Amino acid sequence: MDQETYLQQIAETRPERIAWWQEARFGMFVHWGLYAQLGRHEWVMNRERIPVAEYEKLAATWHPKERPAREWAALAKQAGMKYMVMTTKHHEGFCLWDTKQTDYNAAKCGPGRDLVREFVDACREFDLKIGFYYSLMDWHHPDGALCAKDEAARRRFLDFTQGCVRELMSNYGKIDILWYDVSWPLRSPEAWESVTMNTMARELQPHILINNRSQLPEDFGTPEEHVTAEEEGRAWEACMTFNGSWGYMPIAPDWRPVREVIDMLRTATAGQGNLLLNIGPKPDGSVPPEATERLTAVGQWIAKNGEALYGQVDRAGRGRVEFMVTGSWTIKGNSAYYWCHRWPGSELVIGGLRTKVLKASLLADGTPITFEQTEERLVLKNLPHFDPDPIAGVTVIKLDFDSPPVQRLGAGCVLLD
Ligand code: GLC
């Protein structure tokens, strides 16, 4: 099939396939592989120029504990996440599943078992959708680089790659997301045979969502380490590290605070996007306590304020609601959610709302708020003097309007148009 026809066909089935994902909002990324043993970032093999023969030894010394994926899934569930994506093979080339394509895999080496199977089982147990990350780039496969220059090597490498994808799409029941990464060193989707590969994936998994990293736009964009909306109408998911490294890296001390995670969720929601937040488990599979602590708090916050982020939301921002200084918005139908992260005290003034407010309340517990709305100003009164959110200092105020909310402030004190 030619590329244009392929892209057209998947666009037609996308709205139905992607509906759950667009309501899910929040997922857990898991980067786990041999590199966890070194604890110096998942790019350590490349950055430190570790020879293949030396790096390979890590396959024999890796002995994770029993079923750590259950711990990740339990944490994801508690954190309010709705899906998980795990590295089945990162750039290092070590396969976490029992593959026939190479013996360099978790079942035949140190772990002695299929870690992808454990991941899938854990997701199902905790009712989370399942995503497979797969790095096209491969530093271990003898043809992984040679394929760029040698046609026979390219054929062998593509057969290997397609063999891996076929197994992942065949052996684990229903899989929800195929998350490709780094398409080095081949320079075009034709060279990668991406249409053929992804058509095969879709035949095996008709409901699957595929990301944009096999050199085709596919179902969704993947801004990395920044939460930035793609153009309207295009689905997107920001993937973010927790501490600057995807793989386990205990020497990276700057963990994102709970407030920042909540703010990323708000930005994602406002742009109708998703947030895929990473954990890099330790070699034994346990989650770094810094991640557990923060995700637990995020989950407690979401348990009270989830309505402001889950579900089919509208695009906030320019033309609908404005940039504010005490907080920011998400919107859904006739409601607006004001995520107040700088609590002003007993009174909060919001300017420029052009739609009629019917009701104001604290989202977390439904406490009604008295208010006065004039042409230019909404004054919320008798608020608690201190920020009522004990978890993160982010209080969501829900406003119900008589129609979809519109706020216009202009740049001066008079609207010019
Ligand atoms: C980058 C990195 C990789 C990481 C990925 C996640 O492409 O190369 O290590 O897995 O981002 O998005």
Side-chain angles (χ1 to χ4, degrees):
M1 190 188 312
D2 70 276
Q3 191 171 309
E4 204 179 317
T5 315
Y6 170 75
L7 292 177
Q8 221 172 327
Q9 280 187 6
I10 64 167
E12 278 161 27
T13 60
R14 184 170 306 125
E16 195 225 307
R17 286 183 293 114
I18 209 164
W20 74 264
W21 187 87
Q22 288 185 313
E23 300 188 357
R25 198 71 60 220
F26 195 20
M28 177 183 275
F29 214 172
V30 180
H31 274 68
W32 201 39
L34 300 179
Y35 44 80
Q37 292 177 82
L38 299 178
R40 299 193 299 275
H41 198 277
E42 77 286 353
W43 271 71
V44 61
M45 182 178 177
N46 165 283
R47 296 291 107 171
E48 296 183 11
R49 284 275 178 259
I50 305 176
V52 170
E54 185 185 327
Y55 194 92
E56 269 180 344
K57 293 187 184 141
L58 294 169
T61 56
W62 195 23
H63 300 294
K65 63 177 175 180
E66 281 299 302
R67 299 196 171 266
R70 291 193 72 246
E71 234 176 82
W72 318 334
L75 179 62
K77 188 77 182 177
Q78 199 277 325
M81 293 158 153
K82 305 289 189 189
Y83 61 102
M84 295 180 74
V85 180
M86 184 185 71
T87 51
T88 60
K89 180 190 78 139
H90 204 266
H91 313 336
E92 65 179 9
F94 188 72
C95 296
L96 267 57
W97 78 100
D98 188 5
T99 174
K100 293 195 171 60
Q101 309 302 318
T102 171
D103 286 347
Y104 197 46
N105 74 61
K108 295 200 181 65
C109 299
R113 46 196 231 255
D114 186 328
L115 300 175
V116 170
R117 167 75 61 202
E118 292 181 11
F119 167 71
V120 167
D121 289 348
C123 290
R124 297 215 170 102
E125 182 182 341
F126 287 89
D127 192 27
L128 297 157
K129 298 271 190 188
I130 306 168
F132 286 167
Y133 164 109
Y134 181 87
S135 173
L136 293 165
M137 173 163 81
D138 192 314
W139 297 329
H140 177 266
H141 194 288
D143 299 314
L146 200 61
C147 63
K149 295 195 178 134
D150 177 321
E151 188 46 33
R154 188 179 72 99
R155 189 64 265 151
R156 286 193 300 269
F157 189 55
L158 290 185
D159 289 347
F160 165 80
T161 302
Q162 288 167 21
C164 286
V165 172
R166 179 180 295 283
E167 288 178 0
L168 289 170
M169 297 293 102
S170 305
N171 298 349
Y172 300 92
K174 185 170 181 237
I175 301 305
D176 303 291
I177 302 162
L178 177 55
W179 214 104
Y180 289 116
D181 198 16
V182 188
S183 56
W184 185 89
L186 301 174
R187 295 233 167 92
S188 66
E190 291 76 22
W192 277 109
E193 298 183 352
S194 300
V195 169
T196 307
M197 177 168 70
N198 295 350
T199 301
M200 176 256 289
R202 289 180 187 285
E203 275 164 13
L204 295 164
Q205 298 284 343
H207 287 94
I208 200 141
L209 297 170
I210 302 182
N211 77 345
N212 65 340
R213 295 193 181 182
S214 62
Q215 298 191 13
L216 293 174
E218 289 288 350
D219 292 317
F220 62 94
T222 53
E224 178 171 324
E225 290 291 57
H226 59 97
V227 187
T228 314
E230 310 246 311
E231 75 273 16
E232 206 155 349
R234 168 79 174 153
W236 62 278
E237 173 197 68
C239 52
M240 304 294 290
T241 63
F242 224 131
N243 64 341
S245 173
W246 301 95
Y248 175 58
M249 190 165 181
I251 59 169
D254 299 313
W255 291 80
R256 295 183 201 278
V258 173
R259 280 169 67 86
E260 189 180 336
V261 175
I262 291 174
D263 191 55
M264 294 191 300
L265 277 169
R266 198 220 44 96
T267 309
T269 310
Q272 295 175 310
N274 281 8
L275 175 66
L276 187 65
L277 182 59
N278 184 71
I279 59 162
K282 296 179 183 185
D284 74 351
S286 52
V287 182
E290 294 88 343
T292 306
E293 236 168 72
R294 287 161 177 78
L295 286 177
T296 303
V298 169
Q300 287 163 351
W301 189 89
I302 292 180
K304 296 187 164 177
N305 297 287
E307 187 189 317
L309 60 110
Y310 294 130
Q312 290 288 350
V313 293
D314 297 308
R315 209 168 250 233
R318 216 176 302 145
R320 287 297 307 277
V321 284
E322 299 262 9
F323 153 77
M324 299 296 284
V325 287
T326 50
S328 303
W329 301 100
T330 56
I331 55 178
K332 198 194 273 187
N334 286 2
S335 299
Y337 302 87
Y338 191 69
W339 303 42
C340 186
H341 56 86
R342 293 173 182 150
W343 192 254
S346 50
E347 198 169 282
L348 172 63
V349 181
I350 296 174
L353 289 169
R354 308 291 153 188
T355 25
K356 186 174 159 48
V357 178
L358 303 177
K359 189 182 162 199
S361 55
L362 296 177
L363 180 62
D365 62 8
T367 307
I369 301 171
T370 48
F371 64 90
E372 230 173 71
Q373 185 175 23
T374 57
E375 209 182 315
E376 289 290 341
R377 314 182 85 196
L378 174 72
V379 184
L380 302 172
K381 300 177 163 188
N382 305 325
L383 293 166
H385 194 69
F386 298 104
D387 191 323
D389 174 48
I391 301 161
V394 183
T395 292
V396 179
I397 293 171
K398 181 181 181 189
L399 300 178
D400 294 305
F401 296 84
D402 66 352
S403 56
V406 177
Q407 181 188 32
R408 287 183 61 223
L409 290 165
C413 283
V414 172
L415 284 180
L416 291 179
D417 45 22

